[in-house]
Amino acid sequence: MKPFVIALDGPSAAGKGTLARRLAAHYGLAHLDTGSLYRAVGRRILREGHDPADATYAATVAQNLQPVDLQDPELRTEATSKASSIVAAIPAVRANLLAWQREFARHPPEGKHGAVLDGRDIGTVICPDADVKLFVTASLEARAGRRFRELQAAGANPIRRAVLEEMASRDRRDSERATAPLLPAPDAFVLDTSELDADTVFDRVVAFIDSKTRSRRA
Ligand code: DC
């Protein structure tokens, strides 16, 4: 049977990660955080002392990515975030990560009957035939505020203005790149979470998915 695939796209700190994990648990699906692949590429390049903008080197790292790279404790730092959005604009990096993501969607691990993939281009490029496409977004201010509080909770001493500016330049890199820019698929359910808490987002998305799958079964 064809696996049930949920494509979940949106900018950083829009609430995709939490939502993807909750959807996967609710529907018994596997979950792939595709941003962690780009983060792992960016982090390994920094660790090896190379420039993330070096397309040839970045493409080789993407091709040889190892499961252990996804366990790096520095995957979520600001330096890795920046490096990941630089490598994500390199077409050969994206091409080298594409087959692996599609394979995950076609053959979800652990015998699961489907998968949730979250990222930027899941509904448009990786899984254009996904059963459900979601695009979760929020204003720059709301997202920067969330990231600021996350950093504070993690014991860092962030500067609010710097967090906002870094997020704005990451948005620009993700949205303006030529290959697979951040875009809602034409058939995506778009939800602005600026004023919504995580429970409300989850309830609205589940209601949408259930109504869509019900009408398909009818
Ligand atoms: O979702 P995230 O913040 O962990 O993603 C890290 C970077 O990877 C982000 O700058 C955009 C990029 N990315 C991408 O280009 N395509 C994806 N499917 C997922 C992430």
Side-chain angles (χ1 to χ4, degrees), residues 34-35 38-39 76 84-85 88 94 119-121 170 174 177:
T34 64
Y38 296 90
R39 287 177 178 274
R76 307 262 141 216
S84 67
S85 78
R94 305 199 71 84
R120 302 293 189 287
D121 62 340
R170 207 139 79 82
D174 292 346
R177 65 180 180 227

Side-chain angles (χ1 to χ4, degrees), residues 22-193:
R22 288 182 72 174
L23 290 175
H26 183 77
Y27 292 108
L29 306 172
H31 170 221
L32 179 62
D33 162 13
T34 64
S36 66
L37 304 175
Y38 296 90
R39 287 177 178 274
V41 173
R43 171 65 191 137
R44 211 170 99 187
I45 293 169
L46 294 181
R47 211 175 53 221
E48 292 171 358
H50 281 261
D51 177 1
D54 177 340
T56 309
Y57 193 79
T60 308
V61 170
Q63 194 158 30
N64 298 302
L65 206 61
Q66 302 298 321
V68 65
D69 294 322
L70 297 169
Q71 308 300 327
D72 191 297
E74 302 220 1
L75 232 47
R76 307 262 141 216
T77 63
E78 285 300 287
T80 303
S81 298
K82 184 172 179 187
S84 67
S85 78
I86 294 172
V87 302
I90 299 170
V93 168
R94 305 199 71 84
N96 288 348
L97 296 177
L98 187 130
W100 199 88
Q101 296 173 76
R102 284 201 179 145
E103 183 58 23
F104 188 97
R106 276 195 203 122
H107 302 284
E110 296 163 25
K112 302 274 191 197
H113 69 283
V116 184
L117 282 81
D118 76 87
R120 302 293 189 287
D121 62 340
I122 308 302
T124 50
V125 175
I126 306 293
C127 302
D129 298 329
D131 300 271
V132 174
K133 295 183 188 178
L134 308 167
F135 191 87
V136 174
T137 186
S139 68
L140 174 64
E141 288 70 23
R143 292 183 292 114
R146 286 175 197 163
R147 180 54 50 82
F148 178 78
R149 288 188 292 278
E150 262 170 32
L151 291 168
Q152 273 187 325
N157 190 15
I159 300 165
R160 195 177 280 275
R161 186 85 226 147
V163 173
L164 190 127
E165 279 167 11
E166 181 49 41
M167 190 159 283
S169 61
R170 207 139 79 82
D171 278 359
R172 268 195 304 279
R173 275 196 295 273
D174 292 346
S175 307
E176 292 173 6
R177 65 180 180 227
T179 311
L182 171 66
L183 264 183
D187 50 346
F189 174 68
V190 180
L191 190 61
D192 187 321
T193 70

